[in-house]
Amino acid sequence: MTDLATTINHQIRLAARPVGLPKDSDWSFTEEPVAMPAEGGVLVRTTHLSLDPAMRGWMNEGKSYIPPVGIGEVMRAGGIGEVVASRHPAFAVGDKVSAGLGVQEFCLIPADQIKRAGLVKIDTRIGTETQWLNVLGMPGMTGYFGLMDVGQPKAGETLVVSGAAGAVGQTVGQLAKIKGCRVVGIAGGPDKCRWVVEELGFDACIDYKSGSVRDGLKQHCPDGIDIYFDNVGGEILDTVLTRINRKARIVICGAISQYNNTTPVQGPKNYLSLLVNRARMEGIVVFDYADRYGIAVAEMAGYLKDGRMKSKEDVVDGMANFPATLLKLFNGQNFGKLVLRVG
Amino acid sequence: MTDLATTINHQIRLAARPVGLPKDSDWSFTEEPVAMPAEGGVLVRTTHLSLDPAMRGWMNEGKSYIPPVGIGEVMRAGGIGEVVASRHPAFAVGDKVSAGLGVQEFCLIPADQIKRAGLVKIDTRIGTETQWLNVLGMPGMTGYFGLMDVGQPKAGETLVVSGAAGAVGQTVGQLAKIKGCRVVGIAGGPDKCRWVVEELGFDACIDYKSGSVRDGLKQHCPDGIDIYFDNVGGEILDTVLTRINRKARIVICGAISQYNNTTPVQGPKNYLSLLVNRARMEGIVVFDYADRYGIAVAEMAGYLKDGRMKSKEDVVDGMANFPATLLKLFNGQNFGKLVLRVG
């Protein structure tokens, strides 16, 4: 084991608020000596970082569901790591943990930040490190509670999910299948669409990059749409709105098509379909369900174990690749949950 | 009494589907002899017609919550009238009734159309004919169920309602006050705003025609907005979205600012505020609550009687004035529920 006291912690910090897609100059690479924990604190060595569409929002100024990352701060990121020093009774050296580690090789979590960082031990017998960032992590929790609490699926209903091959999408679609729904995905490119249908068992998947989403929905949702789980916003949201059923639920989870706009967000011009169909559009933020994560993890770990649920992660090596890798989310190049392996 | 057999029924029919604001040439004036009811039918002489923003939607081609009015058909309208001939045991000559009468002086309702037309007797001791088209009629029912079922007000919450001096708006605001909410209206012009505050008891009313709705909301909703009852759509909806609270409910009742667009509807570009605030936007169509109208009428008749609720109708005389009077809704010239007195 290396001597921590002489180890350097490499970090990536937000240098500027991006306009449009983040550029290299929006980041700064810094380093500092690793600091050891004081009483009640824990030092974690990052092994895997979660790259998520929500990160783009955290980089903007202004009020949102959490404060923005400050200029000069280490970029916020959820991650998996290993405890390398601990003065906290619940964490021992060698424990695998999940927490808000930030884009850095080491994260020192003082006693009073343990809860805020969401530091918890993970059990790698239940799922791999990357699954703990996917189905068993934030995206999985988002999909689970967004679907179950806001979407409220009933057997026999039709669910459409965009970003179907992404982290949230794969959870939502598979879970909705287990709950007895007809499930139609929307994804970019034939590989993702094939995987979603053949491997995950969706009833169909519409390739928005080739052909018409409108025609695809017409073909694959002959009884209309009861639940739409939206990760993308923009034109696709508007198209889905034309085909919803009475009392449909639209779960607003994200709008990745709009995050790098330099013009205003495209509002859903067909929103009056909510009126005509007595339908509902509702936002979800996963943190609201923190006290119930355990229930969702237990249920989905069971599905992973018995094979009813699969997961796919797109793992890229090397923390220095963070800026370029993040962009894969916005051009749709990631295939599955995007994870950066560190160290 | 005139001899019905020789009486002429004057009617206004939809001649063409309007592009933008309805023009004179979109209407045709026709007449035909009054026909007497067959077994089980009723003949009603129209006394008052309800003019509503929803009428503009009924004039458009295409799927909505009810079929469009066909070209050449008598324009659909709710109304109050008097039974002048009856072969139905539940209706006697002289009864005051409410029904979908259409823009015509007489409406013959055959036995098999009684239910579909919504033919019911009204009790003018409970409310005047015009109140039966306002607080005790469709707008009142819309406001009642939209607020109570979708808005779900809790004492101490802040409600904002647009079209505050209109038929639905006056019901919603007064009812929300009775339920213990802080109520802020949005209306056009100082007279309406003054009336809403001084006569109806709203806490404040923002004049969207003079000054900034954004500043008004900031001033009058210091604790944010928990419920927004939207009758107008467009810029006002977008502005309200910037000031909603966590778990806010937005009731989509209408979007009068958009009904005469010749360009696409303006979608709410701030809809991602639903995500940030875990808020909900939901449509309401009054017909879904038909089996509970009686409950709402009973409750609101009580408020009218004890003075806790007032109503204001804007009554215009003469059926021939229908085309011009309808336009008052769209330029905001009506002050209170717009009613056409016929005959």
Side-chain angles (χ1 to χ4, degrees):
Chain A
M1 187 174 170
T2 47
D3 182 359
L4 288 170
T6 60
T7 302
I8 293 297
N9 180 23
H10 293 91
Q11 306 167 313
I12 301 184
R13 293 172 185 266
L14 185 64
R17 304 221 172 271
V19 177
L21 278 174
K23 309 177 295 295
D24 284 350
S25 59
D26 296 327
W27 305 108
S28 65
F29 287 68
T30 60
E31 51 181 61
E32 60 183 33
V34 167
M36 297 304 289
E39 183 58 33
V42 176
L43 180 68
V44 178
R45 184 177 60 78
T46 307
T47 59
H48 300 80
L49 288 173
S50 179
L51 271 55
D52 299 284
M55 286 174 151
R56 183 63 190 83
W58 304 340
M59 298 164 76
N60 292 335
E61 192 82 59
K63 187 193 161 195
S64 184
Y65 59 97
I66 41 172
V69 177
I71 298 296
E73 286 181 7
V74 173
M75 178 62 193
R76 182 184 293 146
I80 300 293
E82 190 178 325
V83 174
V84 289
S86 175
R87 295 184 63 187
H88 189 292
F91 299 94
V93 170
D95 281 350
K96 296 286 175 74
V97 293
S98 168
L101 299 177
V103 185
Q104 55 184 348
E105 292 170 338
F106 292 88
C107 182
L108 179 68
I109 309 177
D112 63 354
Q113 295 293 311
I114 300 265
K115 186 162 180 196
R116 189 155 171 262
L119 182 71
V120 288
K121 283 197 271 193
I122 63 163
D123 185 342
T124 50
R125 295 167 303 183
I126 289 174
T128 62
E129 282 96 336
T130 57
Q131 284 176 331
W132 276 103
L133 291 179
N134 188 13
V135 177
L136 303 179
M138 283 300 142
M141 299 300 103
T142 303
Y144 184 94
F145 292 105
L147 177 64
M148 300 306 290
D149 273 48
V150 183
Q152 301 178 10
K154 292 174 235 352
E157 289 189 327
T158 296
L159 171 135
V160 171
V161 56
S162 52
V168 175
Q170 58 183 262
T171 300
V172 168
Q174 293 182 91
L175 199 54
K177 279 303 295 178
I178 290 168
K179 303 297 175 185
C181 293
R182 174 174 181 81
V183 172
V184 176
I186 303 175
D191 291 347
K192 290 181 186 175
C193 288
R194 196 179 310 114
W195 175 72
V196 156
V197 172
E198 292 179 6
E199 293 298 317
L200 302 190
F202 286 28
D203 295 286
C205 191
I206 299 165
D207 180 0
Y208 75 87
K209 289 187 174 171
S210 78
S212 148
V213 172
R214 182 176 304 271
D215 292 348
L217 293 174
K218 211 164 176 174
Q219 179 185 346
H220 296 298
C221 306
D223 300 322
I225 298 165
D226 300 295
I227 305 174
Y228 174 49
F229 197 107
D230 190 23
N231 293 305
V232 303
E235 280 304 319
I236 290 177
L237 171 56
D238 249 334
T239 304
V240 172
L241 276 166
T242 65
R243 304 203 63 82
I244 57 173
N245 287 335
R246 208 186 260 214
K247 292 284 174 193
R249 287 82 69 198
I250 297 180
V251 186
I252 301 294
C253 176
I256 200 169
S257 73
Q258 305 296 308
Y259 290 168
N260 293 292
N261 281 4
T262 50
T263 52
V265 164
Q266 178 180 348
K269 64 180 186 297
N270 296 325
Y271 84 103
L272 287 172
S273 177
L274 298 176
L275 192 166
V276 170
N277 293 295
R278 302 82 157 150
R280 166 188 299 182
M281 185 181 274
E282 186 166 350
I284 187 238
V285 173
V286 66
F287 306 133
D288 297 349
Y289 301 91
D291 60 345
R292 290 163 61 201
Y293 288 168
I295 296 166
V297 166
E299 182 174 341
M300 294 206 287
Y303 299 144
L304 284 174
K305 193 174 175 191
D306 70 16
R308 278 193 283 173
M309 200 174 247
K310 296 177 183 175
S311 77
K312 186 177 180 75
E313 297 88 35
D314 183 340
V315 181
V316 176
D317 274 305
M319 200 180 76
N321 293 320
F322 172 78
T325 307
L326 184 65
L327 297 181
K328 290 178 72 172
L329 290 170
F330 302 116
N331 58 27
Q333 279 179 359
N334 64 305
F335 189 166
K337 166 65 193 150
L338 190 60
V339 173
L340 197 63
R341 189 154 42 201
V342 177
Chain B
M1 187 174 167
T2 47
D3 182 359
L4 288 169
T6 60
T7 302
I8 294 297
N9 180 22
H10 294 90
Q11 306 167 313
I12 302 184
R13 294 172 184 266
L14 185 64
R17 304 223 171 269
V19 177
L21 278 175
K23 308 177 295 296
D24 284 349
S25 59
D26 296 327
W27 304 108
S28 64
F29 288 68
T30 60
E31 50 181 59
E32 60 184 31
V34 168
M36 297 303 289
E39 184 57 34
V42 176
L43 179 67
V44 178
R45 184 176 60 80
T46 306
T47 59
H48 300 80
L49 287 173
S50 178
L51 271 55
D52 299 285
M55 287 175 150
R56 184 62 189 83
W58 303 341
M59 297 164 77
N60 291 335
E61 192 82 60
K63 186 193 163 196
S64 185
Y65 60 95
I66 42 172
V69 176
I71 298 296
E73 286 181 8
V74 172
M75 179 60 194
R76 182 185 295 146
I80 301 293
E82 188 178 325
V83 174
V84 289
S86 176
R87 294 185 63 188
H88 189 292
F91 299 95
V93 170
D95 282 349
K96 296 286 175 75
V97 293
S98 168
L101 298 176
V103 184
Q104 56 184 347
E105 292 169 337
F106 292 88
C107 181
L108 179 68
I109 308 177
D112 63 353
Q113 296 294 312
I114 299 267
K115 186 163 180 196
R116 190 156 171 262
L119 182 70
V120 287
K121 283 197 269 194
I122 62 162
D123 185 341
T124 49
R125 294 168 304 183
I126 290 176
T128 62
E129 282 96 335
T130 57
Q131 285 177 329
W132 276 103
L133 291 179
N134 189 11
V135 177
L136 303 179
M138 284 300 141
M141 300 299 102
T142 303
Y144 184 95
F145 292 106
L147 177 65
M148 299 306 291
D149 273 49
V150 183
Q152 300 178 11
K154 292 175 238 346
E157 289 190 326
T158 297
L159 171 135
V160 171
V161 56
S162 52
V168 175
Q170 57 183 260
T171 300
V172 168
Q174 293 183 92
L175 200 53
K177 279 303 294 177
I178 291 169
K179 302 298 175 185
C181 293
R182 175 175 179 79
V183 172
V184 176
I186 302 174
D191 292 347
K192 289 181 185 176
C193 288
R194 196 178 311 115
W195 176 72
V196 156
V197 173
E198 293 180 6
E199 294 297 316
L200 301 190
F202 286 29
D203 295 285
C205 192
I206 299 164
D207 180 0
Y208 74 87
K209 289 187 176 173
S210 77
S212 149
V213 172
R214 181 176 306 270
D215 292 347
L217 293 173
K218 212 165 176 175
Q219 180 185 344
H220 297 298
C221 306
D223 300 323
I225 298 165
D226 300 295
I227 305 173
Y228 174 50
F229 197 107
D230 190 23
N231 293 306
V232 304
E235 279 305 319
I236 290 177
L237 171 57
D238 249 335
T239 303
V240 172
L241 275 165
T242 65
R243 303 202 65 83
I244 58 173
N245 288 335
R246 208 186 259 214
K247 291 285 174 192
R249 289 81 70 198
I250 296 179
V251 185
I252 301 294
C253 177
I256 200 170
S257 73
Q258 305 296 307
Y259 290 168
N260 293 291
N261 281 4
T262 51
T263 52
V265 164
Q266 178 180 347
K269 64 180 186 300
N270 295 326
Y271 84 103
L272 288 172
S273 177
L274 298 177
L275 191 165
V276 170
N277 293 296
R278 307 79 157 150
R280 167 189 297 183
M281 185 182 275
E282 185 166 350
I284 186 238
V285 173
V286 66
F287 306 132
D288 296 351
Y289 301 91
D291 59 344
R292 290 164 60 201
Y293 288 168
I295 297 167
V297 166
E299 183 174 340
M300 294 206 287
Y303 299 143
L304 284 174
K305 195 175 173 190
D306 69 17
R308 279 194 283 172
M309 200 174 246
K310 296 177 184 176
S311 77
K312 187 177 180 72
E313 296 88 34
D314 182 341
V315 181
V316 176
D317 273 304
M319 199 180 77
N321 293 320
F322 172 78
T325 307
L326 184 65
L327 297 181
K328 291 178 71 173
L329 290 170
F330 303 116
N331 58 26
Q333 280 179 356
N334 65 304
F335 189 167
K337 165 65 192 152
L338 190 59
V339 172
L340 198 62
R341 189 154 42 200
V342 177

